[in-house]
Amino acid sequence: MAEDMKTLEENFRQQNKSCFILGASGETGRMLLQELLERNIFSKITLIGRRQLTFEGKEYEKLVQEVVDFEKLDEHAAAFQGHDVGYCCLGTTRAKAGAEIFVRVDHDYVLKSAELAKSGGCTQFHLESSRGADKNSNFLYLKVKGQVEADIEALGFDRYAIYRPGVLLVDRQESRPAEWLARKFLGAFSSVCSTSMAIPIQVVAKAMVSNTLLQPEQKTEILENKNIASLGKIEGK
């Protein structure tokens, strides 16, 4: 399968496509950017965010950065034009931002960005969501995640991939005590087997890139934690 992935990468690379990443300053976004740079399948990568990011190394020299005000996204429509593929790793938490800001970021900002991307010619959209996402859930976090999944599907991208990872096994820069305990407990199993509850963040990034190269029959696909784990083990190197 690795050899097949190498062929897919080369064929995709020759199409001279461009992409953008929302949320490149976050844990998954940073890992996704690194994976994309290493596998070099896009001729252009644009980071869209609220601030300029600083990188060290020649591999980052060709990156394009667009700084936007998410409260006034209509004024930044040009930043979303001309991309073939969009990746969204944007998000916060209710505990960190409060319920109102959480909904604004994880639903409103994400949906508006997807709308602008679609209008700008983007045909393929990849959304990092969450295990248990359900627009009918009684839990705000899962309800918002499920609602934005459905709202973006209604936009009608040619291809739309939803990733629902479990607990992300990563040492965050910010402190989230509950996640820290979960990572310590579940991390003991991650090196032995995949679980339906947790996944290393590197695997999520690898899965998102590998899945970009595939051509599923359905326009919309939902990858649960187990599917992400399997796909994330396939590399073209």
Side-chain angles (χ1 to χ4, degrees):
M1 189 63 181
E3 290 300 319
D4 293 338
M5 189 57 65
K6 283 184 179 180
T7 300
L8 289 173
E9 286 183 359
E10 183 56 35
N11 291 340
F12 192 93
R13 191 176 295 120
Q14 291 178 2
Q15 296 176 48
N16 200 36
K17 291 181 179 293
S18 66
C19 75
F20 70 84
I21 302 175
L22 286 166
S25 62
E27 304 294 347
T28 306
R30 282 199 300 268
M31 193 60 64
L32 174 62
L33 173 58
Q34 181 178 327
E35 185 71 15
L36 287 172
L37 289 172
E38 289 180 358
R39 294 170 73 170
N40 190 32
I41 61 172
F42 288 102
S43 60
K44 178 182 177 182
I45 300 176
T46 300
L47 308 184
I48 302 177
R50 60 184 178 83
R51 60 185 174 87
Q52 191 88 4
L53 303 179
T54 302
F55 300 101
E56 295 182 1
K58 291 184 178 180
E59 65 272 24
Y60 297 103
E61 291 179 353
K62 294 184 179 180
L63 288 180
V64 176
Q65 296 199 52
E66 296 282 356
V67 177
V68 302
D69 181 348
F70 283 98
E71 289 293 321
K72 303 175 181 178
L73 277 178
D74 280 322
E75 298 179 6
H76 303 280
F80 293 88
Q81 293 180 352
H83 306 289
D84 300 290
V85 180
Y87 297 99
C88 182
C89 303
L90 190 66
T92 185
T93 64
R94 179 175 182 174
K96 178 181 178 181
E100 181 180 351
I101 299 301
F102 163 67
V103 174
R104 191 181 303 169
V105 173
D106 283 57
H107 180 274
D108 299 352
Y109 292 176
V110 171
L111 178 58
K112 187 61 178 179
S113 296
E115 291 174 348
L116 291 173
K118 180 69 165 54
S119 298
C122 182
T123 59
Q124 188 176 150
F125 197 82
H126 297 256
L127 174 69
E128 181 189 21
S129 185
S130 171
R131 179 176 180 266
D134 181 355
K135 65 180 181 180
N136 297 314
S137 176
N138 292 323
F139 295 96
L140 179 65
Y141 182 83
L142 299 180
K143 181 176 182 178
V144 169
K145 290 295 187 182
Q147 189 62 59
V148 77
E149 287 181 0
D151 290 344
I152 292 176
E153 182 177 7
L155 297 179
F157 281 96
D158 291 351
R159 183 170 178 219
Y160 175 39
I162 300 167
Y163 303 84
R164 293 179 177 173
V167 175
L168 297 173
L169 300 175
V170 57
D171 292 327
R172 291 185 182 274
Q173 292 182 344
E174 62 189 59
S175 177
R176 296 182 185 177
E179 285 192 1
W180 182 86
L181 288 173
R183 289 196 301 273
K184 291 300 181 183
F185 177 77
L186 297 169
F189 300 96
S190 66
S191 61
V192 179
C193 62
S194 298
T195 76
S196 62
M197 299 175 65
I199 190 167
I201 195 168
Q202 297 91 334
V203 175
V204 178
K206 290 180 185 296
M208 293 179 77
V209 178
S210 292
N211 194 40
T212 303
L213 307 172
L214 304 179
Q215 296 181 336
E217 295 181 0
Q218 65 274 30
K219 292 181 64 174
T220 298
E221 58 179 335
I222 298 175
L223 289 85
E224 300 290 353
N225 202 69
K226 185 177 180 180
N227 305 120
I228 297 171
S230 297
L231 190 56
K233 294 177 182 177
I234 302 172
E235 294 185 67
K237 297 179 181 180

